[in-house]
Amino acid sequence: MTRPSELVVVTGASTGIGRATAQRLALDGLHVLAGVRRQEDAERLAAVNVEPLILDITNDDHVAALGERVAGDGRRLRALVNNAGIAINAPVETLELKEWRRQFDVSVFGQIAVTRALLPAILAGTGRVINIGSVAGRVAMPSFGPYAAAKFAMEAVSDALRREVAEFGVEVVVITPGAVRTNMTESGIATATRLSEGMTPEQHGRYDKLMAAFLRQVEAFARDGVEPERAAAVISRAIAARKPRTRYTVGPDAAMVVPLSRIVPDRLLDRVLRRQMKLN
C-alpha cells in the first residue's frame, strides 16, 4: 500500500462528525492525525491511514506536541479540521460564569490554539483550515446562548483569518451543519438537565417551560438529524475542491435557516423560533 503523501488533522475525532470525517479522509488517501481525549477512543479509531493522538485542545502541552508532530513529519499538511467542541446550554441568567468560560475555552480558545500551532505548516503547504460551525452560529435560539455565542465567535475568527491568509494561498472554510445525530446531543441533554437542577426557585418559575421546550428541541435534533457521514462528505469536498466556497451547509434545516437569517427581521424571527419551540 502506498504511503499517503499528505496529512490532515481532525480534532474531536472520538465520535460523531469528527470520527466520520477521520474515516472518510483516510479513504480519500490522506494520512489522518485524529485527536481524541481517551486511550480507549484511540484504540477504537485506529485504522489504515488513521493515527489517533491524545489531544485535549485546552491543554497547552498537547497542542504543542501536535505542532511538533506535524512539523517533524515532513509531509504537506493538507488541512486542519477544527471539530472539537462541547455544548453547554441554559438561559443566560441561570448559567454561572465558570460554565461560560468552559464553553469558550473548548469551543473558541482551544480551536484558536490549535490553529495557531499548525498555521506555519498550513502556510508552508498552502493548506486549508476547515472550521466546523453550526446553524447556532447564525441564529441563537432561546437557551442555546452559550453554545451559539461560541459558534458566533468562531464565525468572526474564521472571517478574519480568511482575509489575513488569502494572499498566501490558504483557504479558510466554515462548515455549517444543522441537526446531526451525534453523541453531543446526548451529552448536551445531560448537561442541560444538570444545570437546570441548580436553578433557584424563582428561576425555575421563569424558565422551566423554556427548558422543557429546549429538551424537546434537542431530542428532535437527535431523532430527525442527518447522519454524521453526510457532514464528513461535505468536509471532504471542501478539502478536495480547487477553489472551495467560504461556507457550506449540511442538512435541509441549515440550507433553509442560514439564508433566512440574513433577510428576516429580528422580531419576526423571534416569533418563528418561539413557534418552532412551541413556546406560544
Side-chain angles (χ1 to χ4, degrees):
M1 184 174 293
T2 303
R3 180 175 184 261
S5 60
E6 296 178 315
L7 300 175
V8 62
V9 172
V10 180
T11 67
S14 297
T15 61
I17 292 175
R19 182 183 182 88
T21 298
Q23 293 169 336
R24 172 60 186 258
L25 297 180
L27 291 175
D28 289 345
L30 298 166
H31 185 81
V32 182
L33 300 178
V36 299
R37 294 192 62 186
R38 301 181 301 179
Q39 185 59 40
E40 52 265 40
D41 294 330
E43 293 168 0
R44 283 195 295 266
L45 187 59
V48 175
N49 293 345
V50 179
E51 179 186 339
L53 300 175
I54 300 300
L55 176 65
D56 176 349
I57 64 173
T58 66
N59 184 308
D60 292 343
D61 292 337
H62 287 195
V63 173
L66 174 64
E68 292 170 3
R69 168 68 181 82
V70 170
D73 187 277
R75 288 175 283 186
R76 177 196 179 201
L77 179 59
R78 177 75 171 273
L80 161 63
V81 181
N82 276 315
N83 171 71
I86 57 174
I88 298 175
N89 290 305
V92 172
E93 179 191 357
T94 70
L95 194 65
E96 294 184 10
L97 283 179
K98 67 179 181 180
E99 299 288 356
W100 285 90
R101 292 187 178 105
R102 180 167 167 254
Q103 177 72 70
F104 273 70
D105 278 345
V106 177
S107 299
V108 180
F109 304 134
Q111 295 200 28
I112 292 170
V114 173
T115 302
R116 292 183 68 246
L118 296 185
L119 203 52
I122 293 169
L123 288 164
T126 58
R128 291 182 183 173
V129 178
I130 311 293
N131 289 330
I132 308 305
S134 169
V135 167
R138 309 303 295 273
V139 177
M141 297 176 66
S143 71
F144 284 79
Y147 179 73
K151 291 299 186 181
F152 266 78
M154 284 307 299
E155 289 279 342
V157 171
S158 299
D159 283 344
L161 181 62
R162 185 182 70 251
R163 291 159 184 160
E164 291 163 1
V165 298
E167 65 177 293
F168 309 119
V170 172
E171 301 280 358
V172 179
V173 177
V174 177
I175 307 294
T176 306
V180 180
R181 298 173 190 168
T182 71
N183 284 11
M184 183 178 283
T185 302
E186 298 174 3
S187 62
I189 290 174
T191 299
T193 301
R194 172 180 62 81
L195 293 172
S196 67
E197 291 171 352
M199 292 193 301
T200 67
E202 293 80 7
Q203 290 170 346
H204 275 292
R206 283 192 284 271
Y207 301 118
D208 275 357
K209 180 181 175 183
L210 172 59
M211 291 307 295
F214 165 81
L215 292 173
R216 288 195 303 269
Q217 189 75 38
V218 176
E219 287 166 357
F221 292 162
R223 181 182 66 248
D224 304 328
V226 300
E227 295 295 338
E229 286 75 16
R230 188 161 171 181
V234 175
I235 295 165
S236 171
R237 189 161 73 247
I239 292 173
R242 186 181 64 83
K243 185 67 177 177
R245 303 201 303 264
T246 58
R247 285 176 170 80
Y248 293 80
T249 59
V250 179
D253 52 342
M256 177 185 69
V257 170
V258 170
L260 197 66
S261 68
R262 300 191 191 107
I263 60 175
V264 174
D266 287 345
R267 299 296 186 188
L268 177 56
L269 189 56
D270 291 349
R271 292 196 294 273
V272 169
L273 294 177
R274 288 186 64 85
R275 190 176 301 117
Q276 180 182 347
M277 294 184 73
K278 297 181 172 61
L279 285 169
N280 294 323

